[in-house]
Amino acid sequence: MAKNTFLLVFLAFLLYLCTQLFNMLVMTQNDISIIDTTALLQRELSSGRDICCTRSEASSFPEILRKDFLIEHIALVICHKGFFTFTIGEEECKIGGGHTLFISRDVLFKVISSSADCRYSLLFYRIDSIREILGNTIMGMKFLDVVHPLNYNIVRNDEVPELWHYLVLFRNFDTCNGDVFIEKESLLLKLSLTYRLCSIFSRLNSHTDALSNRQTEIYINLIQLIEKHYETERSVSFYADKLCLSPKYLSAISKSVSGLTVQQHIFRAIIRRGIFLMNNTDKSVKQISDLLHFPNPSAFGTFFKKHTGLSPRNYRRK
């Protein structure tokens, strides 16, 4: 009897020990997965890849996002659980589980803190490769400058359930390995998501529907003129003259349609071009300054640092 009791106790202890070891193994595997996800995201963001995304739900943010990070992508972060706090420019915000964060381009983003139970998924992608396909269509303009003019937007996940499916698809494009067909498929996926975001923001920002067709037309013409002349013309009066409007009225339209002034749109175009030249050419800061028609490199450096938080040289080193 005593032997049977001892045997039962021993077997129960072995079962308990196996259960504990199994739980520890599962926890260890999860920790490794989380570390790998964070490390991989750190490498992708640091290397300036066209598509950067988490391969699974992550709990910690890479170090690069815990400092001021200049957003050059279409950026969204899905918070599944817990919460995290962040800054956009000078504004500090908080997002909780069940919400998605959309971040505009050309703003500084930094994660301040996150809860112990925070779980998130992230997708950043560049639209340079599909810009020609988007062209100057109304939808393309709406997405880039009308329905997404704010520095960030937070929406409930149940309002945008389709985004999760896109993120899962993007995870499969870790590398094209020189396969031209996969590369083209990746471009089409980016185009599809971009137009889906157009639809989402048109739906969520219904106030834009109340704008008159005339206001929208003026605004789109303004953006096209800025894209054509921003390197040499930076005064509101120049663009107002081109559109046969007063500077005050043009400024009012720009503000009511996009929330941004004409001057802010001009400055954004200059910064985008400056960043492109630094990332994709070996031109010196002086050469870039000359191309963008600044009086000297110092003036360009001051302008660039004011809008990005980094000097041109420090931006290139990051």
Side-chain angles (χ1 to χ4, degrees):
M1 182 72 176
K3 284 184 178 181
N4 289 340
T5 302
F6 175 77
L7 184 60
L8 288 173
V9 172
F10 181 70
L11 289 173
F13 174 74
L14 280 179
L15 180 61
Y16 169 78
L17 187 60
C18 289
T19 302
Q20 291 298 103
L21 286 172
F22 176 78
N23 289 337
M24 288 175 63
L25 180 62
V26 170
M27 289 175 64
T28 301
Q29 291 298 321
N30 287 340
D31 289 343
I32 291 172
S33 175
I34 288 169
I35 291 170
D36 287 346
T37 296
T38 304
L40 182 58
L41 190 58
Q42 171 77 19
R43 288 197 297 272
E44 289 183 347
L45 291 169
S46 300
S47 64
R49 284 187 50 163
D50 276 357
I51 301 174
C52 305
C53 68
T54 51
R55 297 306 186 274
S56 60
E57 290 185 14
S59 64
S60 61
F61 287 88
E63 189 62 30
I64 195 170
L65 292 181
R66 293 191 174 275
K67 303 172 184 177
D68 283 333
F69 181 80
L70 181 64
I71 300 294
E72 303 172 64
H73 312 69
I74 302 302
L76 59 95
V77 185
I78 302 173
C79 186
H80 303 285
K81 183 181 178 184
F83 69 87
F84 66 89
T85 60
F86 61 94
T87 58
I88 295 283
E90 301 297 322
E91 185 178 359
E92 185 169 330
C93 318
K94 177 180 177 180
I95 181 172
H99 289 81
T100 295
L101 168 66
F102 296 91
I103 312 170
S104 291
R105 295 180 305 155
D106 308 324
V107 299
L108 292 173
F109 170 72
K110 179 169 69 174
V111 176
I112 302 298
S113 63
S114 57
S115 62
D117 62 342
C118 178
R119 294 293 183 273
Y120 75 93
S121 297
L122 174 150
L123 172 63
F124 288 4
Y125 73 97
R126 299 178 191 275
I127 65 162
D128 296 338
S129 57
I130 60 171
R131 190 180 294 277
E132 287 187 8
I133 306 174
L134 282 172
N136 288 325
T137 63
I138 298 295
M139 288 301 287
M141 282 296 180
K142 264 196 162 187
F143 176 70
L144 296 175
D145 297 292
V146 180
V147 300
H148 196 25
L150 303 176
N151 285 338
Y152 71 94
N153 272 291
I154 296 176
V155 302
R156 295 197 316 272
N157 290 349
D158 58 11
E159 293 183 275
V160 288
E162 63 270 39
L163 292 185
W164 170 251
H165 302 297
Y166 274 98
L167 194 143
V168 172
L169 288 172
F170 269 102
R171 287 173 179 167
N172 295 325
F173 290 98
D174 183 31
T175 177
C176 294
N177 291 323
D179 190 320
V180 66
F181 297 106
I182 294 179
E183 184 179 343
K184 295 298 182 184
E185 189 178 359
S186 174
L187 289 178
L188 290 174
L189 183 58
K190 283 198 275 186
L191 186 65
S192 176
L193 176 55
T194 301
Y195 278 116
R196 179 54 63 97
L197 291 173
C198 288
S199 174
I200 289 170
F201 279 101
S202 293
R203 186 174 74 242
L204 297 177
N205 294 273
S206 57
H207 70 277
T208 59
D209 295 334
L211 296 169
S212 72
N213 290 335
R214 176 59 179 156
Q215 284 180 310
T216 303
E217 182 183 353
I218 290 171
Y219 177 75
I220 291 174
N221 288 336
L222 168 66
I223 296 302
Q224 291 173 336
L225 282 171
I226 289 174
E227 288 296 323
K228 186 176 180 180
H229 298 288
Y230 70 88
E231 291 185 2
T232 55
E233 302 294 343
R234 293 165 192 177
S235 68
V236 178
S237 59
F238 170 84
Y239 297 97
D241 288 343
K242 286 284 186 182
L243 294 169
C244 300
L245 300 169
S246 71
K248 184 176 180 180
Y249 182 59
L250 180 60
S251 296
I253 288 177
S254 177
K255 191 72 174 177
S256 67
V257 173
S258 69
L260 298 176
T261 65
V262 177
Q263 200 82 73
Q264 285 173 313
H265 280 300
I266 297 168
F267 289 167
R268 280 190 170 200
I270 296 167
I271 289 295
R272 276 199 296 268
R273 185 60 178 168
I275 287 172
F276 174 83
L277 291 170
M278 281 189 282
N279 284 339
N280 298 281
T281 73
D282 58 0
K283 294 183 184 299
S284 67
V285 173
K286 182 182 185 311
Q287 289 173 315
I288 295 173
S289 171
D290 291 341
L291 282 171
L292 294 175
H293 292 84
F294 281 84
N296 51 62
S298 177
F300 172 65
T302 300
F303 174 86
F304 190 87
K305 186 171 184 178
K306 178 181 178 181
H307 292 277
T308 67
L310 295 169
S311 69
R313 286 187 174 83
N314 286 337
Y315 178 83
R316 265 187 162 159
R317 291 194 195 109
K318 76 178 180 69

